[in-house]
Amino acid sequence: MIPPAPPRPAQLGPLLARCRLDRGWSQQRAAAELCAAAGVPTLSRHEISRWERQRRVPGGFWLGWLAVVLDVPLVVLAESAAVTRRAGSTRATGPGRAAAAGPRPAGRTGPGRAGGTTRGGGARARTTG
């Protein structure tokens, strides 16, 4: 008889939300706890929301602090982050984000790309004087 496969790690967003709610914390409180622990005053509840909705996946710095603040093993959070990234749940969406989420429109290039135009630049017609 073949033993059952171990359970797959959960995606990160639902895991973070569950851990936060298990403590009875709002997203604002979770952000405040993370800021206090990490000594970084710039994390807002909006970023917590983005992580929970899987619009973004926190990097190693925040994963480490999430592990401390939420009392979850770092390896669990790291595995869940990897699952989330592989699932492709972190595409940027919403107004002004279409170019970031999908292929670039034909004929448009940015800095460091073929064509070398800069933001707002583009090909300009030469005038002769």
Side-chain angles (χ1 to χ4, degrees), residues 87-107:
S89 299
T90 59
R91 289 185 307 245
T93 59
R97 302 260 185 202
R104 296 179 70 78

Side-chain angles (χ1 to χ4, degrees), residues 29-54:
R29 169 85 187 268
E33 295 287 337
L34 282 165
C35 286
V40 177
T42 57
L43 186 77
S44 71
R45 74 148 189 94
H46 298 287
E47 194 65 17
I48 302 295
S49 174
R50 289 179 191 110
W51 293 343
E52 290 180 0
R53 290 180 296 128
Q54 298 185 163

Side-chain angles (χ1 to χ4, degrees), residues 56-115:
R56 293 187 184 164
V57 176
F61 176 83
W62 287 116
L63 284 175
W65 287 112
L66 284 162
V68 170
V69 168
L70 297 175
D71 194 29
V72 176
L74 178 57
V75 69
V76 170
L77 295 179
E79 287 174 357
S80 293
V83 167
T84 301
R85 285 185 183 104
R86 282 193 301 270
S89 299
T90 59
R91 289 185 307 245
T93 59
R97 302 260 185 202
R104 296 179 70 78
R108 298 201 55 197
T109 58
R113 293 183 175 87

